[in-house]
Amino acid sequence: SVIFEPYAQLDRPNKKNIVRSIALASAKNLTKYLKGSIWVESEPEKGSTFYFTIPYSPVASGKSQNVAKAYNIQPNNNLKTILIVEDEEVNFLYLKELLKHENLFIISANNGQEAVDVCKSNPHIGLILMDIKMPVMDGHTAAKIIKEFRPELPIIAQTAYALKSEIDRFGGIFDEYATKPIDGNKLKILIKKFL
């Protein structure tokens, strides 16, 4: 359905319509990635109901060993280490899946404060993928702090809309921008550029 295509609702462009369009496109991409389907049923003057299905795959209990909770991660000397800072686990898992064949050692943090702490304890981190909107500490603040003690560390911002105004606002902090929904091929090119 056209409604799930990026920017399909932009006959009247405004911030709310842009966010809705990106959200629906992201929902479609995530559902497709999870081998499911998504659809909408609408009635004029009554509204719309969205449905999705995904196959059920039980997950083993326990935390992922890649999550940087202890803040002291032993690197794999054969792989480049990247830190994914993302408060939504499904987004982290999506990025991890996109990069699974890239010979990377992936660790994660759930918010900006964790990202700062992880970077202070792990000098082998070679690149950060940083979400901007997160609880505790946002990505912009975290990136600014990290750049104070690791100015050479490349930080790629993950953002729903990399508009010129946002890029200008965060100028000099982020080295590059990856627009959500994340395009896997473009992300790999960006990562290779810095690693």
Side-chain angles (χ1 to χ4, degrees):
S1 178
V2 172
I3 194 169
F4 295 105
E5 297 304 316
Y7 309 110
Q9 302 178 53
L10 296 186
D11 53 330
R12 294 176 307 213
N14 61 46
K15 190 173 183 179
K16 197 181 237 184
N17 284 344
I18 290 171
V19 170
R20 280 187 192 135
S21 179
I22 291 170
L24 287 172
S26 296
K28 177 187 172 190
N29 287 342
L30 284 171
T31 306
K32 184 178 173 185
Y33 167 74
L34 295 169
K35 297 179 176 45
S37 59
I38 187 167
W39 68 96
V40 61
E41 293 177 3
S42 294
E43 286 187 53
E45 307 299 322
K46 289 190 175 180
S48 302
T49 304
F50 292 83
Y51 300 91
F52 72 93
T53 61
I54 56 173
Y56 173 67
S57 301
V59 177
S61 61
K63 297 286 183 185
S64 166
Q65 291 184 353
N66 286 333
V67 177
K69 286 293 185 191
Y71 303 147
N72 189 5
I73 308 300
Q74 294 304 313
N76 181 327
N77 293 329
N78 300 320
L79 304 175
K80 297 283 188 185
T81 301
I82 71 166
L83 171 63
I84 298 176
V85 188
E86 176 61 67
D87 62 320
E88 296 290 338
E89 186 176 9
V90 69
N91 292 344
F92 167 71
L93 294 173
Y94 175 68
L95 290 169
K96 188 176 171 186
E97 182 68 20
L98 284 178
L99 301 173
K100 72 179 179 182
H101 298 298
E102 296 304 303
N103 292 322
L104 298 168
F105 182 63
I106 298 173
I107 59 176
S108 76
N110 296 319
N111 59 61
Q113 184 60 62
E114 279 190 17
V116 171
D117 295 339
V118 169
C119 286
K120 283 181 178 175
S121 303
N122 298 278
H124 54 273
I125 293 171
L127 179 119
I128 300 174
L129 294 178
M130 179 81 74
D131 190 22
I132 291 179
K133 295 188 178 184
M134 293 180 290
V136 182
M137 180 187 290
D138 65 79
H140 177 253
T141 303
K144 200 172 179 180
I145 293 169
I146 292 166
K147 286 288 190 179
E148 288 173 4
F149 62 89
R150 293 273 317 267
E152 80 294 344
L153 180 60
I155 304 176
I156 299 172
Q158 302 174 65
T159 177
Y161 25 78
L163 304 173
K164 185 176 183 326
S165 59
E166 185 175 76
I167 292 170
D168 290 345
R169 181 175 156 216
F170 300 143
I173 300 296
F174 295 112
D175 297 279
E176 203 46 86
Y177 293 82
T179 306
K180 293 180 178 181
I182 301 289
D183 178 300
N185 291 327
K186 288 180 183 175
L187 180 62
K188 289 171 190 176
I189 290 168
L190 274 181
I191 289 173
K192 285 175 183 170
K193 173 182 171 182
F194 293 106
L195 293 179

